[in-house]
Amino acid sequence: MNTYRIAVIPGDGIGVDTIDEAQQALQTICQVHGGLSMTFERYPWGCQYYLREGRMMPEDGLRILADYDAILFGAVGFPPVPDHVSLWGLLLPIRQAFDQYINLRPVKLLPGIPGPLRNKGPEDIDFICIRENTEGEYGGVGGRVHRHSDNEVAVQTSVFTRRGVERVLRYGFELARKRPRRELVSATKSNALQYTMVFWDEVFRELAAEYPDVSCRQYHVDALAARFITAPESLDVVVASNLFGDILTDLGGALQGSLGIPPSGNINPERRYPSLFEPVHGSAPDIAGKGIANPIAAIWAASMMLDHLGHEDAGRLLWEAIAAMTRTGAVLTPDLGGSATTKEVGAAIREQIIALAG
Ligand code: GGG
Protein backbone atom coordinates (compact mmCIF):
# COMPACT_ATOMS: atom_id res chain seq x y z
CA MET A 1 0.00 0.00 0.00
CA ASN A 2 1.34 3.46 -0.95
CA THR A 3 0.35 6.02 1.67
CA TYR A 4 0.62 9.76 1.12
CA ARG A 5 0.22 12.71 3.48
CA ILE A 6 -1.59 15.57 1.81
CA ALA A 7 -1.81 19.09 3.24
CA VAL A 8 -5.09 20.74 2.29
CA ILE A 9 -5.31 24.54 2.24
CA PRO A 10 -8.82 25.46 1.08
CA GLY A 11 -7.95 29.17 1.37
CA ASP A 12 -10.64 31.69 0.53
CA GLY A 13 -14.00 32.00 -1.18
CA ILE A 14 -14.93 29.21 -3.57
CA GLY A 15 -11.59 27.53 -2.83
CA VAL A 16 -13.27 26.08 0.26
CA ASP A 17 -16.25 24.58 -1.65
CA THR A 18 -14.25 23.22 -4.56
CA ILE A 19 -11.35 21.73 -2.62
CA ASP A 20 -13.78 19.68 -0.51
CA GLU A 21 -14.97 18.00 -3.70
CA ALA A 22 -11.37 17.39 -4.81
CA GLN A 23 -10.59 15.74 -1.48
CA GLN A 24 -13.69 13.54 -1.70
CA ALA A 25 -12.79 12.54 -5.26
CA LEU A 26 -9.33 11.48 -4.05
CA GLN A 27 -10.90 9.47 -1.22
CA THR A 28 -13.10 7.66 -3.74
CA ILE A 29 -10.08 6.99 -5.94
CA CYS A 30 -8.27 5.46 -2.95
CA GLN A 31 -11.32 3.26 -2.17
CA VAL A 32 -11.52 1.82 -5.68
CA HIS A 33 -7.78 1.60 -6.26
CA GLY A 34 -6.91 -0.73 -3.42
CA GLY A 35 -3.17 0.04 -3.37
CA LEU A 36 -3.34 3.72 -2.55
CA SER A 37 -4.15 5.55 0.66
CA MET A 38 -4.06 9.21 1.66
CA THR A 39 -4.32 11.15 4.87
CA PHE A 40 -5.49 14.73 4.66
CA GLU A 41 -4.69 17.49 7.12
CA ARG A 42 -6.49 20.78 6.72
CA TYR A 43 -4.95 24.17 7.33
CA PRO A 44 -7.47 27.02 7.57
CA TRP A 45 -5.03 29.67 6.34
CA GLY A 46 -6.14 32.62 4.25
CA CYS A 47 -7.92 35.94 4.63
CA GLN A 48 -10.07 34.98 7.65
CA TYR A 49 -6.91 33.82 9.37
CA TYR A 50 -5.28 37.13 8.42
CA LEU A 51 -8.11 39.14 9.96
CA ARG A 52 -7.66 37.22 13.24
CA GLU A 53 -3.88 36.78 13.33
CA GLY A 54 -2.47 39.57 11.14
CA ARG A 55 -0.81 37.11 8.75
CA MET A 56 -2.02 34.73 6.05
CA MET A 57 -0.36 31.66 7.55
CA PRO A 58 1.56 30.99 10.76
CA GLU A 59 5.20 31.95 10.99
CA ASP A 60 6.21 28.29 10.75
CA GLY A 61 3.69 27.55 7.96
CA LEU A 62 6.33 26.65 5.38
CA ARG A 63 8.10 24.37 7.84
CA ILE A 64 4.79 22.59 8.54
CA LEU A 65 4.08 22.11 4.82
CA ALA A 66 7.60 20.88 4.03
CA ASP A 67 6.86 17.48 5.58
CA TYR A 68 3.96 16.63 3.26
CA ASP A 69 4.02 14.63 0.05
CA ALA A 70 1.87 17.21 -1.75
CA ILE A 71 -0.35 20.23 -1.14
CA LEU A 72 -3.92 20.64 -2.36
CA PHE A 73 -4.76 24.32 -2.54
CA GLY A 74 -8.09 26.10 -3.16
CA ALA A 75 -7.89 29.83 -3.80
CA VAL A 76 -6.56 32.99 -2.22
CA GLY A 77 -7.99 36.48 -1.85
CA PHE A 78 -11.02 37.95 -0.17
CA PRO A 79 -12.09 41.48 0.73
CA PRO A 80 -11.24 43.43 2.81
CA VAL A 81 -7.68 42.03 2.60
CA PRO A 82 -5.91 43.67 -0.39
CA ASP A 83 -5.18 41.06 -3.08
CA HIS A 84 -1.44 41.75 -3.15
CA VAL A 85 -1.28 41.19 0.61
CA SER A 86 -3.12 37.86 0.46
CA LEU A 87 -1.25 36.55 -2.59
CA TRP A 88 2.17 37.52 -1.23
CA GLY A 89 1.21 36.21 2.22
CA LEU A 90 0.29 32.68 1.20
CA LEU A 91 0.55 31.32 -2.34
CA LEU A 92 3.61 33.10 -3.73
CA PRO A 93 5.83 32.33 -0.70
CA ILE A 94 4.95 28.64 -1.05
CA ARG A 95 5.78 28.63 -4.78
CA GLN A 96 9.10 30.37 -4.15
CA ALA A 97 10.20 28.62 -0.93
CA PHE A 98 9.45 25.18 -2.35
CA ASP A 99 11.12 26.05 -5.64
CA GLN A 100 7.98 25.11 -7.58
CA TYR A 101 9.43 26.64 -10.70
CA ILE A 102 7.14 24.83 -13.11
CA ASN A 103 3.48 25.75 -13.27
CA LEU A 104 1.82 23.20 -15.55
CA ARG A 105 -1.51 24.27 -16.98
CA PRO A 106 -3.30 22.03 -19.47
CA VAL A 107 -5.64 23.69 -21.96
CA LYS A 108 -7.99 20.95 -23.08
CA LEU A 109 -11.63 21.23 -24.03
CA LEU A 110 -13.57 18.51 -22.25
CA PRO A 111 -16.10 16.40 -24.16
CA GLY A 112 -19.65 17.74 -23.98
CA ILE A 113 -18.55 21.26 -23.04
CA PRO A 114 -19.43 23.82 -25.67
CA GLY A 115 -16.26 25.85 -26.18
CA PRO A 116 -16.56 29.49 -27.21
CA LEU A 117 -15.01 29.04 -30.67
CA ARG A 118 -17.09 28.21 -33.74
CA ASN A 119 -16.03 24.91 -35.35
CA LYS A 120 -13.36 24.11 -32.71
CA GLY A 121 -13.91 20.99 -30.63
CA PRO A 122 -11.92 18.88 -28.15
CA GLU A 123 -9.62 17.66 -30.95
CA ASP A 124 -8.63 21.29 -31.72
CA ILE A 125 -8.15 22.58 -28.18
CA ASP A 126 -5.63 20.29 -26.54
CA PHE A 127 -2.27 21.71 -25.52
CA ILE A 128 -0.30 22.39 -22.37
CA CYS A 129 1.23 25.60 -21.02
CA ILE A 130 4.31 25.79 -18.83
CA ARG A 131 4.43 28.97 -16.80
CA GLU A 132 7.69 29.92 -15.08
CA ASN A 133 6.66 30.14 -11.44
CA THR A 134 9.33 31.60 -9.17
CA GLU A 135 10.81 34.70 -10.80
CA GLY A 136 10.32 36.91 -13.87
CA GLU A 137 7.70 39.59 -13.42
CA TYR A 138 6.75 37.97 -10.07
CA GLY A 139 10.24 38.42 -8.64
CA GLY A 140 8.81 40.67 -5.96
CA VAL A 141 11.54 43.27 -6.42
CA GLY A 142 10.63 46.93 -6.34
CA GLY A 143 9.47 49.74 -4.17
CA ARG A 144 7.57 52.98 -3.82
CA VAL A 145 8.84 56.36 -2.74
CA HIS A 146 7.36 59.81 -2.15
CA ARG A 147 4.01 58.24 -1.39
CA HIS A 148 0.91 60.35 -1.82
CA SER A 149 2.84 63.24 -3.36
CA ASP A 150 3.06 64.53 -6.90
CA ASN A 151 6.53 63.01 -7.04
CA GLU A 152 5.34 59.51 -6.20
CA VAL A 153 7.30 56.73 -7.94
CA ALA A 154 6.60 52.99 -8.14
CA VAL A 155 9.17 50.57 -9.55
CA GLN A 156 8.68 46.84 -10.13
CA THR A 157 11.68 44.98 -11.52
CA SER A 158 11.48 41.72 -13.46
CA VAL A 159 14.08 39.14 -12.49
CA PHE A 160 15.29 36.69 -15.12
CA THR A 161 18.23 34.54 -14.06
CA ARG A 162 20.09 32.18 -16.40
CA ARG A 163 19.34 29.30 -14.05
CA GLY A 164 15.65 30.22 -13.86
CA VAL A 165 15.17 30.76 -17.59
CA GLU A 166 17.19 27.75 -18.64
CA ARG A 167 15.44 25.30 -16.33
CA VAL A 168 11.92 26.28 -17.37
CA LEU A 169 12.77 26.28 -21.07
CA ARG A 170 14.55 22.94 -20.72
CA TYR A 171 11.47 21.53 -19.02
CA GLY A 172 9.50 22.73 -22.05
CA PHE A 173 11.83 20.98 -24.50
CA GLU A 174 11.78 17.78 -22.43
CA LEU A 175 7.99 17.78 -22.18
CA ALA A 176 7.59 18.49 -25.90
CA ARG A 177 10.00 15.65 -26.67
CA LYS A 178 7.75 13.20 -24.80
CA ARG A 179 4.62 14.16 -26.75
CA PRO A 180 3.77 12.77 -30.18
CA ARG A 181 3.86 16.16 -31.95
CA ARG A 182 7.15 17.30 -30.37
CA GLU A 183 6.34 20.99 -30.83
CA LEU A 184 7.33 23.80 -28.51
CA VAL A 185 6.23 27.43 -28.68
CA SER A 186 7.92 30.13 -26.60
CA ALA A 187 6.09 33.34 -25.63
CA THR A 188 8.33 36.37 -25.98
CA LYS A 189 8.12 40.13 -26.31
CA SER A 190 11.71 40.83 -27.22
CA ASN A 191 10.87 43.71 -29.55
CA ALA A 192 9.85 45.81 -26.55
CA LEU A 193 11.62 44.13 -23.61
CA GLN A 194 15.13 44.40 -24.96
CA TYR A 195 16.91 42.98 -21.90
CA THR A 196 14.81 40.28 -20.28
CA MET A 197 13.06 38.87 -23.32
CA VAL A 198 16.06 39.12 -25.63
CA PHE A 199 17.89 37.07 -22.97
CA TRP A 200 14.93 34.61 -22.82
CA ASP A 201 15.08 34.20 -26.62
CA GLU A 202 18.85 33.65 -26.59
CA VAL A 203 18.56 30.85 -24.04
CA PHE A 204 15.68 29.38 -26.06
CA ARG A 205 17.87 29.31 -29.18
CA GLU A 206 20.80 27.79 -27.27
CA LEU A 207 18.62 24.97 -25.97
CA ALA A 208 16.95 24.44 -29.34
CA ALA A 209 20.34 23.34 -30.65
CA GLU A 210 20.35 20.55 -28.05
CA TYR A 211 16.88 19.37 -29.07
CA PRO A 212 16.94 18.97 -32.88
CA ASP A 213 14.04 16.52 -32.62
CA VAL A 214 11.74 19.22 -31.17
CA SER A 215 10.25 21.67 -33.62
CA CYS A 216 10.24 25.09 -31.99
CA ARG A 217 8.75 28.47 -32.73
CA GLN A 218 8.49 31.73 -30.86
CA TYR A 219 5.74 34.34 -30.98
CA HIS A 220 5.38 37.70 -29.36
CA VAL A 221 2.94 37.17 -26.55
CA ASP A 222 0.31 39.42 -28.10
CA ALA A 223 0.39 37.45 -31.36
CA LEU A 224 0.34 34.22 -29.37
CA ALA A 225 -2.77 35.37 -27.52
CA ALA A 226 -4.44 35.88 -30.90
CA ARG A 227 -3.24 32.44 -32.03
CA PHE A 228 -4.89 30.86 -28.97
CA ILE A 229 -8.17 32.01 -30.54
CA THR A 230 -7.51 31.76 -34.27
CA ALA A 231 -5.52 28.51 -34.39
CA PRO A 232 -5.49 26.64 -31.05
CA GLU A 233 -4.97 23.39 -32.97
CA SER A 234 -1.50 24.67 -33.96
CA LEU A 235 -0.32 24.53 -30.32
CA ASP A 236 1.19 21.56 -28.49
CA VAL A 237 3.45 22.81 -25.67
CA VAL A 238 3.71 26.51 -24.80
CA VAL A 239 6.36 27.91 -22.45
CA ALA A 240 6.10 31.41 -21.01
CA SER A 241 7.40 33.67 -18.29
CA ASN A 242 5.48 34.05 -15.03
CA LEU A 243 3.17 36.92 -15.97
CA PHE A 244 2.79 36.02 -19.65
CA GLY A 245 1.93 32.46 -18.61
CA ASP A 246 -0.60 33.70 -16.07
CA ILE A 247 -2.40 35.85 -18.62
CA LEU A 248 -2.27 33.31 -21.45
CA THR A 249 -3.70 30.55 -19.27
CA ASP A 250 -6.73 32.58 -18.26
CA LEU A 251 -7.33 32.84 -21.99
CA GLY A 252 -6.79 29.09 -22.05
CA GLY A 253 -9.49 28.75 -19.39
CA ALA A 254 -11.89 30.72 -21.57
CA LEU A 255 -11.07 28.35 -24.46
CA GLN A 256 -12.12 25.48 -22.19
CA GLY A 257 -15.54 27.04 -21.73
CA SER A 258 -15.07 28.38 -18.20
CA LEU A 259 -12.40 29.36 -15.72
CA GLY A 260 -14.05 26.75 -13.51
CA ILE A 261 -12.30 24.04 -15.55
CA PRO A 262 -8.50 24.53 -15.85
CA PRO A 263 -6.24 22.99 -13.19
CA SER A 264 -2.63 23.67 -12.41
CA GLY A 265 0.33 21.93 -10.87
CA ASN A 266 3.03 23.99 -9.17
CA ILE A 267 5.86 21.53 -9.51
CA ASN A 268 9.27 21.14 -7.95
CA PRO A 269 10.63 18.66 -10.52
CA GLU A 270 13.55 17.60 -8.32
CA ARG A 271 11.03 16.59 -5.58
CA ARG A 272 13.11 18.28 -2.91
CA TYR A 273 9.92 19.97 -1.72
CA PRO A 274 6.23 19.17 -1.95
CA SER A 275 4.46 20.31 -5.10
CA LEU A 276 1.16 22.19 -4.93
CA PHE A 277 -1.97 21.52 -6.98
CA GLU A 278 -4.75 24.06 -7.37
CA PRO A 279 -7.46 25.25 -9.71
CA VAL A 280 -6.33 28.12 -11.93
CA HIS A 281 -9.35 30.13 -10.81
CA GLY A 282 -9.29 32.50 -7.87
CA SER A 283 -11.63 32.82 -4.92
CA ALA A 284 -14.56 34.43 -6.84
CA PRO A 285 -16.03 36.40 -3.91
CA ASP A 286 -19.18 37.14 -5.97
CA ILE A 287 -20.30 33.50 -5.84
CA ALA A 288 -18.51 32.36 -2.67
CA GLY A 289 -20.74 30.47 -0.26
CA LYS A 290 -23.55 30.04 -2.81
CA GLY A 291 -22.67 26.41 -3.49
CA ILE A 292 -22.59 26.91 -7.27
CA ALA A 293 -18.85 27.07 -7.99
CA ASN A 294 -17.59 24.61 -10.56
CA PRO A 295 -15.43 21.96 -8.81
CA ILE A 296 -13.96 20.52 -12.04
CA ALA A 297 -10.75 22.59 -11.91
CA ALA A 298 -10.02 21.51 -8.34
CA ILE A 299 -10.81 17.86 -9.07
CA TRP A 300 -8.68 17.93 -12.23
CA ALA A 301 -5.86 19.42 -10.11
CA ALA A 302 -6.22 16.40 -7.81
CA SER A 303 -5.79 14.19 -10.88
CA MET A 304 -2.55 16.04 -11.71
CA MET A 305 -1.44 15.43 -8.13
CA LEU A 306 -1.94 11.68 -8.58
CA ASP A 307 0.16 11.81 -11.77
CA HIS A 308 2.91 13.67 -9.93
CA LEU A 309 2.90 11.14 -7.09
CA GLY A 310 3.60 8.45 -9.68
CA HIS A 311 0.06 7.04 -9.90
CA GLU A 312 -0.73 7.91 -13.50
CA ASP A 313 -3.28 5.07 -13.61
CA ALA A 314 -5.26 6.68 -10.78
CA GLY A 315 -4.78 10.17 -12.25
CA ARG A 316 -6.08 8.93 -15.58
CA LEU A 317 -9.08 7.29 -13.89
CA LEU A 318 -9.98 10.55 -12.18
CA TRP A 319 -9.60 12.52 -15.42
CA GLU A 320 -11.71 9.95 -17.31
CA ALA A 321 -14.40 10.28 -14.62
CA ILE A 322 -14.49 14.06 -15.12
CA ALA A 323 -14.69 13.62 -18.91
CA ALA A 324 -17.38 10.94 -18.62
CA MET A 325 -19.41 13.28 -16.44
CA THR A 326 -19.09 16.27 -18.81
CA ARG A 327 -19.82 14.05 -21.82
CA THR A 328 -23.34 13.42 -20.49
CA GLY A 329 -23.89 17.20 -20.28
CA ALA A 330 -26.44 16.47 -17.56
CA VAL A 331 -24.82 17.85 -14.40
CA LEU A 332 -23.24 21.25 -15.01
CA THR A 333 -22.82 24.30 -12.82
CA PRO A 334 -24.16 27.72 -13.93
CA ASP A 335 -20.82 28.87 -15.43
CA LEU A 336 -21.40 26.14 -18.04
CA GLY A 337 -25.08 26.93 -18.53
CA GLY A 338 -26.40 24.33 -16.09
CA SER A 339 -28.13 24.58 -12.74
CA ALA A 340 -26.28 21.94 -10.72
CA THR A 341 -24.57 22.71 -7.43
CA THR A 342 -20.91 22.21 -6.58
CA LYS A 343 -21.81 19.16 -4.50
CA GLU A 344 -23.96 17.63 -7.27
CA VAL A 345 -21.11 17.87 -9.78
CA GLY A 346 -18.68 16.42 -7.22
CA ALA A 347 -21.07 13.53 -6.52
CA ALA A 348 -21.59 12.89 -10.25
CA ILE A 349 -17.82 12.62 -10.76
CA ARG A 350 -17.52 10.20 -7.83
CA GLU A 351 -20.27 8.05 -9.38
CA GLN A 352 -18.28 7.97 -12.61
CA ILE A 353 -15.11 6.93 -10.76
CA ILE A 354 -16.97 3.97 -9.27
CA ALA A 355 -18.63 3.10 -12.59
CA LEU A 356 -15.32 3.25 -14.53
CA ALA A 357 -13.43 1.29 -11.89
CA GLY A 358 -16.12 -1.40 -11.68
N1 GGG B 1 -6.35 28.98 -7.12
C1 GGG B 1 -5.40 29.94 -7.44
C2 GGG B 1 -5.69 31.32 -6.95
O1 GGG B 1 -6.30 31.57 -5.95
N2 GGG B 1 -5.21 32.24 -7.72
C3 GGG B 1 -5.36 33.59 -7.40
C4 GGG B 1 -4.43 34.43 -8.17
O2 GGG B 1 -4.75 35.56 -8.48
N3 GGG B 1 -3.27 33.93 -8.46
C5 GGG B 1 -2.33 34.68 -9.15
C6 GGG B 1 -1.33 33.84 -9.81
O3 GGG B 1 -1.44 32.62 -9.90
O4 GGG B 1 -0.40 34.42 -10.32
Side-chain angles (χ1 to χ4, degrees):
M1 177 76 76
N2 289 291
T3 302
Y4 298 97
R5 294 182 65 226
I6 310 299
V8 181
I9 308 175
D12 300 315
I14 63 168
V16 179
D17 313 358
T18 60
I19 230 59
D20 271 352
E21 298 306 319
Q23 185 176 329
Q24 287 189 58
L26 286 168
Q27 282 160 334
T28 305
I29 289 283
C30 289
Q31 278 161 26
V32 302
H33 187 280
L36 189 57
S37 107
M38 288 183 182
T39 61
F40 298 92
E41 269 146 281
R42 248 175 123 87
Y43 294 97
W45 303 339
C47 290
Q48 289 307 317
Y49 186 93
Y50 181 92
L51 294 174
R52 281 196 318 272
E53 309 288 337
R55 45 189 309 139
M56 291 293 290
M57 64 172 151
E59 214 170 336
D60 60 348
L62 293 171
R63 196 196 50 71
I64 293 169
L65 294 176
D67 288 338
Y68 285 90
D69 294 304
I71 303 162
L72 199 54
F73 189 91
V76 59
F78 213 84
V81 183
D83 284 341
H84 65 279
V85 172
S86 52
L87 194 59
W88 274 104
L90 187 57
L91 185 54
L92 299 188
I94 298 174
R95 288 178 180 167
Q96 290 189 342
F98 292 158
D99 209 15
Q100 294 164 346
Y101 62 90
I102 299 299
N103 191 329
L104 269 186
R105 297 185 162 192
V107 178
K108 189 173 173 67
L109 185 60
L110 289 168
I113 303 289
L117 301 183
R118 207 173 44 227
N119 304 328
K120 303 278 186 201
E123 61 290 349
D124 302 303
I125 299 173
D126 185 3
F127 57 96
I128 187 154
C129 294
I130 302 163
R131 167 187 176 186
E132 199 292 319
N133 213 32
T134 53
E135 57 171 50
E137 307 86 345
Y138 280 53
V141 178
R144 287 175 66 175
V145 288
H146 309 307
R147 287 192 184 229
H148 313 302
S149 80
D150 289 348
N151 297 327
E152 186 158 7
V153 179
V155 177
Q156 186 105 30
T157 304
S158 295
V159 178
F160 287 79
T161 64
R162 178 165 284 277
R163 175 171 174 265
V165 172
E166 188 175 324
R167 66 186 182 174
V168 70
L169 292 177
R170 188 176 292 285
Y171 192 95
F173 279 102
E174 290 289 337
L175 182 60
R177 178 176 262 181
K178 289 191 196 108
R179 290 166 63 97
R181 288 173 56 175
R182 296 185 175 197
E183 289 173 14
L184 179 64
V185 160
S186 162
T188 184
K189 190 67 188 171
S190 47
N191 54 349
L193 306 178
Q194 73 270 51
Y195 305 114
T196 54
M197 280 294 135
V198 168
F199 174 52
W200 174 278
D201 293 353
E202 279 171 17
V203 179
F204 186 63
R205 274 195 302 276
E206 282 166 25
L207 287 179
E210 286 182 40
Y211 293 85
D213 52 326
V214 174
S215 129
C216 54
R217 289 169 286 160
Q218 62 182 51
Y219 295 103
H220 290 311
V221 65
D222 44 342
L224 183 54
R227 178 166 285 267
F228 268 43
I229 305 301
T230 55
E233 69 283 357
S234 71
L235 301 169
D236 182 24
V237 179
V238 174
V239 62
S241 66
N242 211 326
L243 181 62
F244 290 176
D246 183 48
I247 296 168
L248 286 172
T249 52
D250 262 33
L251 191 51
L255 281 179
Q256 292 170 86
S258 164
L259 256 185
I261 291 181
S264 71
N266 299 260
I267 312 280
N268 173 244
E270 292 76 23
R271 296 170 189 269
R272 251 196 310 269
Y273 305 100
S275 292
L276 180 149
F277 299 85
E278 58 172 340
V280 167
H281 66 68
S283 59
D286 55 327
I287 57 162
K290 294 188 177 164
I292 56 165
N294 192 338
I296 291 179
I299 297 174
W300 191 345
S303 154
M304 292 180 74
M305 188 180 91
L306 289 165
D307 291 344
H308 178 75
L309 292 172
H311 294 279
E312 286 89 353
D313 54 340
R316 186 80 204 160
L317 173 61
L318 183 47
W319 188 86
E320 294 288 359
I322 297 169
M325 195 279 300
T326 59
R327 197 174 286 117
T328 69
V331 190
L332 299 176
T333 42
D335 55 307
L336 292 171
S339 57
T341 64
T342 309
K343 286 187 185 314
E344 285 167 347
V345 173
I349 292 172
R350 293 196 295 279
E351 275 171 30
Q352 292 291 348
I353 296 171
I354 291 164
L356 289 169

